[in-house]
Amino acid sequence: MAPHIPEFPKALFEELDTDKLRRRFLESLLEFQNVERGSLWVKREDGYQCIEATGGPSEEQLVGFVVPKDKPSIVGWVIENGKMTIAEPGKDKRHFKEAESGLDVKSTLILCYPLSLKNGEVYGAVEIIDTAHGGSRLNLGKDYLELLEEFIAIGSIALGNALAFADQKNETQKLRKILGGLTGETPLVGKSQAFKAALETARNYARNDFAVCITGESGTGKELFAREIHRLSDRKDKPFLVQNVSAIPDALLESELFGYKKGAFTGADRDKVGLFEAADGGTVFLDEIGDMPLSLQARILRVLQEHEIKPLGGAKTQTVDVRVISATNRDLPRAIAEGTFREDLFYRLNVLPLHLPSLRERPEDIPELLDYFLSRDAARLGIAPRKLSAEALAALRRRPFPGNVREMENLVRYLLATVPDTVIEAGDIPPASEIGIVRAAAADAHPTSPDGGPDLAAYTWEELERAYAMALLEKFKWNVTKAARAAGVNRSTFDSRLRKLGISKE
């Protein structure tokens, strides 16, 4: 018997961190039995999920794995029957061998105990695993197993209470995020190191008034982070105004930002307040700043340097107090080298740089993000919450999501609209990389020409036009002005066609 075991239950009740507690619980049991592998499992609606595993890097990959409820398994049998069992994996039909498919060393003998709450309700199971030949390391003496059972009974109550508290805390946090999303508060979801580092940087930036430049791929949440900086700053009670630089023609952008005086140009029959003046005291978020025309960059520079604006047609400058947060998915140093972006403006905008990680860099956040979007949008639609089966979640964790969080959000909306059941299965998930792009579905639905290419005659005119418009928008990263130029039409004409086709970046 390990000498520290008599103090083991007390140590468990003193541990408040749930992650540390379950790790300590498992490692102490393994040391007591002088084996190196083990795992903790809890009961879920769709099966039995591993919440902790030890024994090396390959074993730790088991965390998050779900054994389907309708499949035979040792942990399932123990949980449902509330009894301990000793199983020899090679001979026991209850062994779910897929759980060990990625492990180099297989189990030879498994000792599995139920985990129960104080009222006797079984909520999980612990596996103590021997990998030695013939399961020779596990001590199966009667007195030894009875003592072990006592320690597990006490420890499982401590662990169960901690898990229940953690679940309640997570539900409260999720509810707050859902309510925040419904009421307009910034919903930032994630626990990965990459995400937490970016969020911590943003919160540090909120303490001052310097310009922030947010970079990252499309769909990573640049506007959400900008809103978070504003929300935590001293300017939180003042306006937060947004302008996507690439969303309107160059000729109108200047008047949108700086306003104009009556008579400044044909059609200017009244004064118009620009974005900078309207946001006085607050924050202006300039999205896609890399697409700003050179002719306008000098005026933005003056705002940053002198805090002055002058409306079109105006004779006097006026002072404004605004914080500028900009964002881009372009390589601005390269744009400077190419002569399309001013170097002095870049340094004024990039005082506080913030780079947001892509979803590929934070895959551990995928389950939480999916859960958040499913809950939030189901609440918005007034429908029962949907849940993902273990297979569906596994499929989505493998999905590349080139459109990052925005693509995931759109995918969830598609699933809520098309899946009537409360559980979303892997077969319900469409194979297309982006929801809302029709050409992939059209390509599947129509025949090909003799040379192997698409049979254009089999498409409707609207399908062809939509596919062409989407191809241009993707090529130019949703810069409508550049897409219209490539199409050889005016931007207003191109924009009008997008509205008629029902295409929008959202």
Side-chain angles (χ1 to χ4, degrees):
M1 184 186 303
H4 75 284
I5 286 295
E7 300 178 3
F8 168 51
K10 182 179 179 223
L12 271 186
F13 281 99
E14 290 174 348
E15 181 60 70
L16 300 177
D17 186 295
T18 306
D19 293 339
K20 291 180 180 178
L21 187 149
R22 62 193 187 196
R23 189 77 172 181
R24 190 172 185 177
F25 180 39
L26 184 58
E27 289 177 345
S28 297
L29 294 175
L30 299 186
E31 187 175 347
F32 183 63
Q33 271 288 357
N34 195 31
V35 294
E36 297 177 350
R37 273 182 54 186
S39 53
L40 291 172
W41 300 76
V42 292
K43 187 176 183 179
R44 302 294 189 205
E45 288 186 12
D46 56 345
Y48 313 98
Q49 185 178 29
C50 178
I51 61 168
E52 189 65 72
T54 188
S58 58
E59 283 77 5
E60 291 172 1
Q61 292 176 7
L62 188 63
V63 176
F65 184 86
V66 176
V67 175
K69 202 169 187 179
D70 58 350
K71 301 290 184 182
S73 66
I74 296 168
V75 291
W77 186 91
V78 168
I79 291 172
E80 298 305 329
N81 289 277
K83 300 177 182 178
M84 69 84 71
T85 191
I86 301 171
E88 195 173 347
K91 299 177 181 179
D92 199 313
K93 293 182 179 179
R94 296 172 300 176
H95 181 54
F96 189 73
K97 61 182 181 180
E98 287 85 350
E100 291 191 312
S101 61
L103 304 183
D104 297 331
V105 180
K106 310 299 182 185
S107 57
T108 56
L109 195 63
I110 296 177
L111 181 59
C112 189
Y113 281 90
L115 299 174
S116 306
L117 299 174
K118 192 174 183 180
N119 62 6
E121 178 187 349
V122 177
Y123 67 87
V126 56
E127 284 190 332
I128 301 172
I129 302 168
D130 196 345
T131 58
H133 179 70
S136 59
R137 296 181 68 179
L138 278 174
N139 188 332
L140 302 181
K142 183 175 181 294
D143 293 341
Y144 208 82
L145 291 183
E146 287 179 354
L147 181 57
L148 178 63
E149 187 171 13
E150 287 182 19
F151 288 133
I152 290 176
I154 297 172
S156 66
I157 293 173
L159 180 62
N161 291 338
L163 291 172
F165 176 76
D167 284 344
Q168 185 178 24
K169 184 178 178 181
N170 289 337
E171 285 298 315
T172 302
Q173 290 176 341
K174 184 170 73 174
L175 181 60
R176 284 175 180 169
K177 288 175 180 176
I178 292 169
L179 292 174
L182 293 173
T183 58
E185 187 178 325
T186 306
L188 290 168
V189 179
K191 295 179 180 177
S192 66
Q193 287 301 316
F195 175 82
K196 288 195 293 187
L199 187 57
E200 181 64 22
T201 299
R203 288 171 174 169
N204 288 335
Y205 288 173
R207 299 171 187 165
N208 58 68
D209 263 352
F210 301 130
V212 179
C213 185
I214 306 175
T215 57
E217 295 179 11
S218 179
T220 50
K222 292 187 281 293
E223 183 176 336
L224 291 182
F225 271 80
R227 288 184 182 277
E228 182 72 357
I229 293 171
H230 173 77
R231 186 181 71 85
L232 297 174
S233 73
D234 292 338
R235 298 174 179 268
K236 62 180 181 292
D237 296 325
K238 297 295 183 178
F240 176 87
L241 301 183
V242 180
Q243 179 60 62
N244 187 317
V245 172
S246 66
I248 60 175
D250 297 350
L252 294 179
L253 181 59
E254 186 174 9
S255 63
E256 285 295 315
L257 294 176
F258 295 95
Y260 55 78
K261 292 295 184 180
K262 180 179 179 180
F265 50 83
T266 303
D269 53 0
R270 57 181 176 82
D271 290 351
K272 174 182 171 60
V273 175
L275 197 73
F276 285 116
E277 183 179 353
D280 193 24
T283 304
V284 168
F285 176 58
L286 299 177
D287 200 5
E288 305 295 351
I289 192 71
D291 295 323
M292 178 172 286
L294 270 171
S295 59
L296 191 53
Q297 291 178 26
R299 296 202 64 183
I300 300 296
L301 182 62
R302 185 166 184 83
V303 175
L304 293 167
Q305 288 178 328
E306 309 297 337
H307 305 287
E308 289 181 350
I309 61 168
K310 186 168 72 171
L312 292 176
K316 297 180 180 179
T317 61
Q318 59 188 91
T319 301
V320 291
D321 174 24
V322 293
R323 182 182 197 173
V324 176
I325 302 177
S326 59
T328 183
N329 56 17
R330 289 190 61 193
D331 183 349
L332 290 185
R334 182 177 178 180
I336 292 170
E338 294 172 348
T340 59
F341 202 85
R342 292 180 61 127
E343 186 174 14
D344 49 2
L345 177 59
F346 170 72
Y347 289 121
R348 285 287 182 177
L349 292 170
N350 199 46
V351 176
L352 300 177
L354 174 60
H355 182 74
L356 301 187
S358 66
L359 206 49
R360 296 184 303 279
E361 299 171 79
R362 45 183 291 218
E364 57 268 50
D365 290 337
I366 288 177
E368 186 181 2
L369 284 163
L370 288 167
D371 188 40
Y372 167 73
F373 288 132
L374 284 167
S375 301
R376 185 200 66 182
D377 289 331
R380 283 177 171 174
L381 294 171
I383 62 176
R386 302 286 195 268
K387 293 196 173 181
L388 295 161
S389 69
E391 292 79 7
L393 178 58
L396 290 173
R397 292 185 76 162
R398 294 191 301 267
R399 199 178 183 97
F401 287 110
N404 291 297
V405 181
R406 183 185 295 119
E407 179 186 341
M408 178 189 287
E409 185 177 17
N410 289 340
L411 173 60
V412 167
R413 289 172 177 170
Y414 172 86
L415 293 172
L416 288 175
T418 59
V419 179
D421 301 325
T422 55
V423 178
I424 298 170
E425 302 292 347
D428 297 322
I429 302 170
S433 62
E434 292 190 57
I435 299 302
I437 298 180
V438 182
R439 67 174 185 276
D444 291 337
H446 293 302
T448 58
S449 62
D451 63 2
D455 182 5
L456 298 181
Y459 290 79
T460 66
W461 183 269
E462 185 173 320
E463 286 173 340
L464 283 172
E465 189 175 5
R466 181 180 285 109
Y468 175 62
M470 288 302 305
L472 285 173
L473 289 169
E474 284 186 320
K475 180 178 180 180
F476 294 102
K477 298 180 179 180
W478 285 84
N479 185 317
V480 178
T481 301
K482 292 182 179 179
R485 191 179 300 129
V489 298
N490 292 332
R491 191 195 186 286
S492 58
T493 302
F494 190 77
D495 197 43
S496 175
R497 290 307 305 163
L498 293 181
R499 287 197 298 272
K500 289 181 180 179
L501 291 167
I503 295 175
S504 70
K505 191 173 184 178
E506 295 303 317

